[in-house]
Amino acid sequence: MKIAIIVFPGSNCDVDLFEALHSVCGATAQYVSYQEKSLAGFDAVMIPGGFSYGDYLRCGAIARFSNIMPEVVRFAAAGKPVLGICNGFQILTEAGLLPGALKRNNGLKFICKTTALTVENNETPFTNQYQAKEKIYLPIAHADGSYYAQKDVLAQLEAKHQVVFRYADENPNGSLNDIAGIINETGNVLGMMPHPERAVEALLGNVDGLRVFTALLAGNGYQKEAIR
Amino acid sequence: MTVELEMSPQEIKEKKPYLEWGLSEKEYDYIAQKLLGRLPNYTETGLFAVMWSEHCSYKKSKAVLREFPNKNARVLQGPGEGAGIIDIGDGQGIVFKAESHNHPSAVEPYAGAATGVGGIIRDIFSMGARPIALLDSLHFGEIKDSRTKYLINEVVAGIGGYGNCMGIPTVGGEMTFDECYADNPLVNAMCVGIIEQSEMQKGQAKGVGNAVMYVGAKTGRDGIHGATFASTDFSDEKETQRSAVQVGDPFMEKLLLEACLLLTSKHQDWLVGIQDMGAAGLVSSSCEMASKAGSGMTLDLDNVPQREDGMSAYEIMLSESQERMLLCVRAGFEKQVQELFHNFGLDAVVIGRVTEEKNYLLRHRGEIVTDIPVTSLTDDVLEESSREKKPARMLAQSRKPAWHPGKLVVAATLRKMLQQPTIASKKSFTETYDSQVRTNTVVGPGSDAAVIRIRQTNKAIAITTDGNGRLVYLDPFVGGKIAVLEAATNLVASGATPLAITDCLNFGDPNDPEVYWELHQAVKGMAAACRQLDTPVISGNVSLYNESNGTAIYPTPMVGMVGLLTDVHQYLTPTVKQVGSQLFLVGETGNDFAGTEIQKMLTGQLSGSLNDFSLTTTVQRLAKLLQANQAGLLESAHDLSEGGLAVALVEMTLHSQLGLSLAVPFAGEQLFSETPGRFVVSVAPQKVAAFKQLLGTDAVLLGEVTAKRELALKYQDGTAVLDLEEAKKLWEEAIPCLMKSKD
Amino acid sequence: MTVKARIFVTYKESVFDPQGQAITDAVQSLGHPEVEKINVGKFFDVQLDPATKSVAQTVSEISEQLLVNFNLETYRYELLEEQQ
Amino acid sequence: MTVKARIFVTYKESVFDPQGQAITDAVQSLGHPEVEKINVGKFFDVQLDPATKSVAQTVSEISEQLLVNFNLETYRYELLEEQQ
Ligand SMILES: Nc1ncnc2c1ncn2[C@@H]1O[C@H](COP(=O)(O)OP(=O)(O)O)[C@@H](O)[C@H]1O
Ligand SMILES: [Mg+2]
């Protein structure tokens, strides 16, 4: 499996994602510039965290107009896996690949800390190595991670099991329904505020994020559902 | 914007506007008579004023700084460049420097702190290094009035705002609170980078005909006279006259960082030298680059990218707009460099050339606005000798009997002490810093030092910032020794061998002989400790005139120290690990109460003289502890600092579910004594014999780790029991509670 | 010719605005009981040349494409007087 | 009685506004050459009871105390129509 890591001006978790995939998981990963117009040859796309375009205007708002984004949209429409982490999640919502939006944290401050999460949906290509309702711990690091969607959208997300991760002990940012990560209806585009790539090595004190990557790399047959 | 009509050279001579810019009459006369042999024009006078300011020339502190050791076999680059470099083997180096942004932060705390961070990051990547960590050292007034709370919130937000956006983790630092910093907070930031030794850069402009290129953000009227402003003390009156505040753009700097590193790592053949534009912007970067290489330079100011209309030569040269760098590019490669920067969406413009003649020639709107010898700005500064006098308060103190807390109710005292802001948890602030980005942070904020893994090797570095103005105030020499020693003990407690330091010397007005004496003595003390530890000073920064309305801060030298772990897995944290492990106190405890947290808490003021101590003995102790750790004998370690043994013991349990049962061989109040150079370590039962043999009488067994969540203490004149869950709560909630309280 | 349009962007009523709340609280605690509520919004002063495209059209295009996130926000605009 | 005042806060002219620059660039690259420049500002809609203190006084007090950073910013305000 060959994974594209999209690099926007201001992305800064690109290296972390690369190291998690390459050094830790032994996967083939490659940086792809926002200026590129093709994703040919890639089997999965990941959009890393950071401050694309300085988070000016709204997080992810300007990045979504890059050359590469129509290609990411096509890639997603073809049912191939797309993962957006933190700023990547924000970009996916701005691009309309995921519903809703991410607002300023209720506490108005940037927060970097480990949060408890429940895996709400373990039947996605990214989470099928977790147990249903498993409690895991992943770091967050964001100022704008408060998930918002209108009532009907929220109801639909819940009804269709599109909420993948939920904050468990404490809601750090005011997200509606304690949402930390959601997947699209077809089950191939995941956006999450917590950083699984920061939790893949025992040396750094946490390996709870590793299975997001190993699940995808193992490709446990869940894509068949994604491709309608 | 109105274009100011500039004074003629004759008018300058008569009206003496330079006095307000910080140039003395003696200096002006020297420039006119000895250096130029004519009257300097408006622009030239401005250049001299800013380049000869303390901030750029160190004219007052230079003599003192020479006392610092700055070489050993590991030093690849000492003071004099953007940052110092130290060899860590495998062809790699660690690059680091600290810088103060006290005055800008007092005026505009968010932007001041943010641009302080931005500036120190540029110093690191101007050397060709990838920044890998940030630390800070912050000193504020007591958390009681809304102004202080505002300053704290904004400064912390500014530091986080810049570092987080850059993707450089803020991994540690220190924060203290004392009324002396209320109007003059100290905001020091340190940046650490990693470099391939083959890619080391210098800020030099050599090779006749080579291009001087400007890259990055456009120039505006920001912070004009910022550098000279930093060199004169504040009074409320001046505060209203300040010039435009510099605003940072970390997004721009992130692009600049990536572009510059691409240039320095992949295109060394295009590049001759690189330097950031920091204090005194274009003038200081360009003339330093020329003077270091013994070159001349001409600049065409019309080519400087400008954000505002009608800027004068003076304004263009002195602007402190952020996120700009100056390059010297080999003739013929200008296009390639331009293209490289354009790919990042950045301006890159040829603004001048290196010349044969040794003069500094500036053209603006068809006129020559400056024509002076390059070295006159950088090398001919009149160094000022200063008068020194031991402060009267010290003489008075030495005649008084030493302060002693008397018999204490230990548990109650300890509970109260855990709530002192200087000791209480800083998590509510450090949590707003991204401490993990780059995924190399093995130990982040909240331990003795941060530990950062070096990828592709088995190594790690440990980093800490320390300073204790209270001790330096009572005795600058001994306090200076302790400042360096405390940094070293923090590294050793993290498992690292200290390598080198950077510093920020935050002092008052050096024209006051007592302040100058403090500066000199503190540097002597720091230098002595550095020599004993073999940790040279490879970079640093001086911030003088830290006074407001005539009252100086405590003299507060900040030490930033970097250490090496040859095996990352040997890192240590203070947290105890398992029931049954034995706790040892390493180092002797005396009656050291002058300038301590207990003195401040109980009396509200500082008094007394510090007891001097032997650096030789202490440094030998550090070496033994490192040896013990390398032999795998230590499970956890913590050095003792503010609050003494009592506080350290609680800190070792805060992040565990365990307790301690101990008996200490001295009186209750001595639990709060702050004798420097001490540690507590925990040792697994099967390692105790080997540990005892190695440490000998230097280590005293205190007791063991228990499963009960309490600190049970026996001491010579009593016993105490502290509920650790309660203690943790007090420690965690103290600062959030103070920050929320109404005035 | 150049005209200036000011586009006002605010959260929809139903969206909680933590900043507005925090500012209201802060202002009241500073001793302003006369202040009942503060809402925060942002505005964009757009300087544009209406020769090829009407102001209304430019404004609606750039708002929809970029300036406004319709999940959360709504907008209005007005033309600014020249002397402004 | 309740009145509404709108306080507009903008950067002073000489202060560098990176956000405005980034948005201008983005809008232009989206195919809007007719847009020359975009400046960003924020506004506060203050709902207040002018019984005890005049609107002008409240506005100037809260602007100075909290809403405006005079190192960098300036402000203006206007009264909003009731129907708004
Ligand atoms: N302003 C700050 N920024 C980042 N980390 C901080 C800051 N203040 C304190 N810390 C962290 O809190 C911990 C305790 O700090 P301090 O009490 O100064 O430790 P020590 O006495 O061991 O030097 C350290 O890990 C330090 O990194
Ligand atoms: Mg310590």
Side-chain angles (χ1 to χ4, degrees):
Chain A
M1 178 173 272
K2 193 169 158 198
I3 300 167
I5 298 172
I6 314 287
V7 183
F8 294 97
S11 293
N12 65 32
C13 302
D14 46 342
V15 178
D16 304 358
L17 198 47
F18 180 87
E19 295 292 347
L21 288 165
H22 174 79
S23 307
V24 179
C25 299
T28 310
Q30 197 177 308
Y31 297 116
V32 174
S33 160
Y34 71 109
Q35 290 165 317
E36 296 292 331
K37 292 184 176 149
S38 165
L39 286 167
F42 289 102
D43 306 296
V45 166
M46 297 195 185
I47 308 183
F51 288 67
S52 60
Y53 293 92
D55 276 358
Y56 295 142
L57 185 59
R58 296 180 309 273
C59 307
I62 300 180
R64 80 141 149 134
F65 292 104
S66 315
N67 283 343
I68 196 69
M69 283 311 290
E71 201 47 31
V72 173
V73 172
R74 253 194 300 281
F75 194 88
K80 296 185 197 167
V82 175
L83 171 62
I85 301 168
C86 199
N87 192 230
F89 184 14
Q90 294 160 344
I91 293 170
L92 291 176
T93 61
E94 284 284 344
L97 284 172
L98 290 171
L102 293 142
K103 288 167 53 198
R104 177 53 45 96
N105 295 345
N106 272 6
L108 300 173
K109 289 185 174 167
F110 187 99
I111 314 168
C112 173
K113 70 172 180 189
T114 296
T115 53
L117 303 169
T118 328
V119 180
E120 294 287 331
N121 179 346
N122 71 336
E123 300 186 350
T124 79
F126 308 95
T127 54
N128 59 47
Q129 293 185 351
Y130 294 98
Q131 302 300 309
K133 296 280 175 186
E134 183 175 343
K135 190 171 178 184
I136 62 170
Y137 294 86
L138 291 181
I140 56 167
H142 60 247
D144 302 81
S146 179
Y147 184 77
Y148 175 86
Q150 271 152 4
K151 276 212 175 73
D152 51 328
V153 177
L154 275 180
Q156 211 187 345
L157 283 175
E158 296 290 355
K160 299 197 169 163
H161 303 290
Q162 287 173 251
V163 177
V164 177
F165 297 106
R166 225 187 281 276
Y167 297 112
D169 298 343
E170 153 201 47
N171 181 333
N173 52 28
S175 272
L176 295 184
N177 294 17
D178 301 328
I179 285 172
I182 56 171
I183 200 156
N184 64 345
E185 248 189 283
T186 47
N188 62 316
V189 179
L190 173 67
M192 60 193 296
M193 289 313 297
H195 287 270
E197 82 283 11
R198 294 187 182 190
V200 295
E201 288 179 88
L203 178 65
L204 305 188
N206 186 352
V207 292
D208 278 3
L210 187 57
R211 283 174 283 166
V212 167
F213 304 106
T214 52
L216 182 70
L217 292 166
N220 281 358
Y222 280 86
Q223 284 99 327
K224 66 178 185 296
E225 282 192 296
I227 304 160
R228 274 177 294 182
Chain B
M1 277 284 165
T2 51
V3 181
E4 252 179 78
L5 216 56
E6 292 178 354
M7 287 182 212
S8 70
Q10 192 59 37
E11 280 174 310
I12 292 171
K13 181 179 155 73
E14 284 156 16
K15 294 188 183 150
K16 308 190 188 358
Y18 54 79
L19 291 177
E20 220 167 272
W21 304 343
L23 208 58
S24 71
E25 207 162 333
K26 183 174 148 207
E27 288 172 323
Y28 174 83
D29 289 341
Y30 180 75
I31 290 163
Q33 288 157 20
K34 294 274 161 39
L35 295 183
L36 303 186
R38 63 175 167 83
L39 298 182
N41 67 23
Y42 188 85
T43 306
E44 290 166 343
T45 311
L47 301 186
F48 277 106
V50 73
M51 288 304 296
W52 285 28
S53 71
E54 178 61 27
H55 205 68
C56 293
S57 73
Y58 292 96
K59 62 190 169 194
K60 293 209 167 67
S61 44
K62 223 180 212 164
V64 165
L65 296 180
R66 288 194 193 103
E67 304 202 10
F68 279 142
N70 55 30
K71 290 193 191 73
N72 71 9
R74 279 190 187 273
V75 177
L76 299 172
Q77 174 67 59
E81 285 289 335
I85 311 181
I86 194 106
D87 190 348
I88 56 161
D90 299 324
Q92 289 180 312
I94 294 293
V95 183
F96 62 95
K97 181 173 190 294
E99 191 143 298
S100 60
H101 235 209
N102 305 336
H103 294 127
S105 303
V107 174
E108 173 48 48
Y110 184 97
T115 54
V117 170
I120 193 65
I121 293 171
R122 284 194 298 282
D123 273 327
I124 300 308
F125 71 77
S126 75
M127 305 302 293
R130 162 75 60 182
I132 58 172
L134 288 164
L135 291 92
D136 56 8
S137 169
L138 309 177
H139 304 272
F140 296 103
E142 303 286 355
I143 311 177
K144 51 180 200 209
D145 56 297
S146 56
R147 170 78 187 161
T148 296
K149 289 177 201 167
Y150 167 78
L151 283 175
I152 295 172
N153 276 329
E154 294 289 302
V155 164
V156 167
I159 289 172
Y162 211 99
N164 296 351
C165 184
M166 290 290 293
I168 304 169
T170 303
V171 296
E174 60 163 347
M175 206 169 185
T176 75
F177 307 87
D178 198 294
E179 254 337 82
C180 71
Y181 305 111
D183 293 324
N184 196 128
L186 299 186
V187 177
N188 296 172
M190 171 174 175
C191 186
V192 180
I194 186 158
I195 197 168
E196 293 299 322
Q197 289 177 19
S198 58
E199 294 171 10
M200 294 194 300
Q201 304 296 323
K202 280 195 191 262
Q204 58 178 8
K206 64 178 182 195
V208 173
N210 283 338
V212 179
M213 289 184 80
Y214 171 116
V215 299
K218 292 186 168 57
T219 297
R221 289 188 175 87
D222 328 11
I224 289 173
H225 265 177
T228 49
F229 178 54
S231 304
T232 32
D233 73 329
F234 277 179
S235 66
D236 292 338
E237 186 208 341
K238 271 204 184 115
E239 211 177 333
T240 58
Q241 295 174 12
R242 64 186 159 252
S243 51
V245 172
Q246 316 148 39
V247 178
D249 179 1
F251 172 57
M252 169 76 82
E253 179 133 315
K254 168 72 173 159
L255 302 177
L256 198 55
L257 161 74
E258 297 302 338
C260 288
L261 288 186
L262 182 62
L263 181 66
T264 56
S265 65
K266 296 275 153 36
H267 302 291
Q268 295 202 27
D269 47 330
W270 303 353
L271 190 65
V272 178
I274 171 169
Q275 184 157 336
D276 79 298
M277 289 192 227
L282 186 50
V283 53
S284 95
S285 52
S286 60
C287 75
E288 279 172 17
M289 284 179 80
S291 117
K292 265 186 260 175
S295 314
M297 186 180 281
T298 64
L299 298 180
D300 198 337
L301 304 190
D302 299 307
N303 293 341
V304 171
Q306 292 163 49
R307 201 178 72 229
E308 296 184 69
D309 295 332
M311 291 181 68
S312 67
Y314 171 94
E315 289 172 326
I316 293 170
M317 294 309 293
L318 268 58
S319 161
E320 293 193 353
S321 290
Q322 301 290 299
E323 291 93 23
R324 304 177 302 161
M325 306 283 286
L326 201 63
L327 312 178
C328 179
V329 171
R330 195 151 283 137
F333 293 99
E334 298 88 343
K335 276 249 153 52
Q336 284 92 322
V337 170
Q338 215 156 29
E339 212 165 287
L340 185 154
F341 280 88
H342 281 180
N343 274 335
F344 287 87
L346 296 169
D347 271 335
V349 180
V350 176
I351 60 165
R353 295 279 163 189
V354 178
T355 59
E356 183 126 42
E357 303 77 46
K358 306 289 179 243
N359 62 337
Y360 188 62
L361 191 122
L362 308 180
R363 284 200 192 85
H364 188 224
R365 298 191 191 125
E367 276 176 45
I368 290 177
V369 290
T370 290
D371 186 358
I372 55 180
V374 166
T375 49
S376 66
L377 288 174
T378 52
D379 300 358
D380 295 335
V381 185
L382 288 180
E383 244 181 73
E384 291 180 13
S385 59
S386 301
R387 289 194 315 118
E388 302 184 30
K389 187 164 139 275
K390 187 167 180 172
R393 63 163 195 275
M394 290 187 67
L395 297 171
Q397 279 300 341
S398 61
R399 284 185 223 110
K400 288 195 208 151
W403 180 82
H404 191 276
K407 198 165 159 66
L408 295 171
V409 183
V410 167
T413 307
L414 183 48
R415 270 193 289 270
K416 194 168 165 206
M417 182 155 286
L418 291 169
Q419 300 174 73
Q420 301 302 304
T422 296
I423 287 181
S425 172
K426 313 294 186 299
K427 196 169 88 181
S428 55
F429 304 122
T430 58
E431 224 170 54
T432 67
Y433 300 151
D434 189 340
S435 54
Q436 304 168 332
V437 61
R438 301 190 57 76
T439 47
N440 290 319
T441 308
V442 179
V443 179
S447 186
D448 285 319
V451 177
I452 306 297
R453 160 262 305 267
I454 307 292
R455 277 195 193 274
Q456 267 87 53
T457 74
N458 198 34
K459 292 182 296 200
I461 55 167
I463 325 165
T464 180
T465 60
D466 288 285
N468 189 330
R470 289 189 219 158
L471 301 181
V472 181
Y473 174 75
L474 291 180
D475 185 333
F477 178 74
V478 178
K481 277 166 65 172
I482 293 176
V484 174
L485 182 65
E486 191 188 341
T489 56
N490 276 318
L491 294 188
V492 169
S494 304
T497 307
L499 295 184
I501 77 162
T502 183
D503 67 89
C504 280
L505 302 175
N506 305 284
F507 286 78
D509 180 350
N511 298 310
D512 176 343
E514 293 193 347
V515 169
Y516 201 85
W517 189 87
E518 290 169 349
L519 172 66
H520 197 172
Q521 291 298 311
V523 166
K524 273 188 194 297
M526 292 168 74
C530 286
R531 271 193 209 94
Q532 193 70 42
L533 286 157
D534 193 22
T535 53
V537 181
I538 62 163
S539 61
N541 166 261
V542 178
S543 171
L544 303 177
Y545 303 96
N546 287 289
E547 315 208 331
S548 59
N549 302 323
T551 319
I553 56 158
Y554 291 150
T556 311
M558 168 275 211
V559 175
M561 189 181 274
V562 174
L564 183 67
L565 289 109
T566 47
D567 178 356
V568 59
H569 298 94
Q570 286 177 339
Y571 78 87
L572 292 170
T573 67
T575 303
V576 292
K577 304 288 184 303
Q578 57 168 332
V579 175
S581 288
Q582 309 283 293
L583 235 69
F584 289 87
L585 173 61
V586 182
E588 254 172 73
T589 302
N591 282 316
D592 290 281
F593 294 110
T596 59
E597 197 62 41
I598 187 92
Q599 185 182 47
K600 188 183 169 213
M601 187 173 98
L602 296 181
T603 71
Q605 54 190 358
L606 309 183
S607 66
S609 310
L610 303 185
N611 300 318
D612 205 350
F613 60 95
S614 158
L615 279 171
T616 324
T617 316
T618 317
V619 171
Q620 279 167 358
R621 187 180 307 147
L622 304 197
K624 267 195 200 165
L625 270 179
L626 281 174
Q627 210 186 328
N629 186 46
Q630 279 153 10
L633 302 180
L634 306 184
E635 216 167 56
S636 56
H638 193 18
D639 71 309
L640 308 194
S641 56
E642 283 107 334
L645 178 62
V647 167
L649 292 173
V650 176
E651 286 172 341
M652 292 179 81
T653 67
L654 287 169
H655 306 291
S656 76
Q657 295 302 317
L658 304 172
L660 298 170
S661 172
L662 311 171
V664 297
F666 41 68
E669 63 273 15
Q670 282 179 308
L671 284 160
F672 300 95
S673 161
E674 295 182 13
T675 310
R678 295 176 302 154
F679 297 84
V680 192
V681 299
S682 79
V683 180
Q686 69 275 21
K687 304 278 173 72
V688 165
F691 174 77
K692 275 184 168 164
Q693 193 176 5
L694 183 58
L695 269 285
T697 54
D698 225 6
V700 177
L701 178 65
L702 297 181
E704 63 176 26
V705 180
T706 66
K708 195 161 180 198
R709 199 73 176 116
E710 66 176 28
L711 172 62
L713 274 176
K714 282 202 189 81
Y715 43 93
Q716 274 175 357
D717 49 345
T719 60
V721 176
L722 186 76
D723 178 329
L724 287 170
E725 280 306 308
E726 186 206 346
K728 180 173 180 176
K729 202 155 174 263
L730 295 174
W731 175 80
E732 271 179 348
E733 289 175 2
I735 286 182
C737 184
L738 282 171
M739 292 295 290
K740 270 189 224 124
S741 66
K742 303 245 152 77
D743 301 352
Chain C
M1 205 195 64
T2 294
V3 296
K4 258 196 189 170
R6 176 167 287 178
I7 307 178
F8 295 88
V9 179
T10 45
Y11 274 149
K12 290 179 184 167
E13 285 245 9
S14 58
V15 178
F16 172 64
D17 174 14
Q19 205 188 351
Q21 185 63 51
I23 291 173
T24 307
D25 293 348
V27 164
Q28 287 172 347
S29 80
L30 282 173
H32 292 280
E34 76 276 18
V35 173
E36 289 159 8
K37 193 172 179 210
I38 300 185
N39 285 319
V40 190
K42 52 192 170 182
F43 65 87
F44 301 92
D45 282 349
V46 184
Q47 202 170 300
L48 76 169
D49 177 352
T52 53
K53 219 183 246 184
S54 74
V55 175
Q57 192 173 350
T58 295
V59 165
S60 82
E61 281 177 15
I62 66 175
S63 297
E64 265 153 57
Q65 286 177 321
L66 184 70
L67 300 183
V68 185
N69 181 331
F70 289 92
N71 284 306
L72 303 166
E73 300 167 327
T74 57
Y75 78 101
R76 278 191 328 102
Y77 82 98
E78 60 191 34
L79 282 177
L80 293 188
E81 303 290 309
E82 266 323 277
Q83 91 285 13
Q84 216 278 334
Chain D
M1 204 194 67
T2 292
V3 298
K4 257 194 188 173
R6 176 166 288 178
I7 307 178
F8 296 89
V9 180
T10 46
Y11 272 145
K12 287 181 185 167
E13 268 218 45
S14 64
V15 175
F16 175 44
D17 174 15
Q19 175 160 246
Q21 186 62 50
I23 295 171
T24 307
D25 292 348
V27 165
Q28 287 171 346
S29 77
L30 280 174
H32 291 280
E34 77 276 17
V35 173
E36 289 159 8
K37 194 170 179 209
I38 300 184
N39 285 316
V40 191
K42 53 191 169 185
F43 65 88
F44 300 91
D45 283 348
V46 185
Q47 205 169 300
L48 76 169
D49 176 353
T52 53
K53 217 183 247 182
S54 76
V55 175
Q57 193 173 350
T58 296
V59 165
S60 83
E61 282 177 14
I62 65 176
S63 297
E64 262 152 61
Q65 289 174 325
L66 188 74
L67 302 183
V68 184
N69 177 347
F70 288 92
N71 287 324
L72 304 168
E73 300 169 329
T74 57
Y75 79 102
R76 279 192 326 104
Y77 82 98
E78 60 191 34
L79 282 176
L80 294 187
E81 305 290 311
E82 265 324 277
Q83 91 284 15
Q84 216 279 332

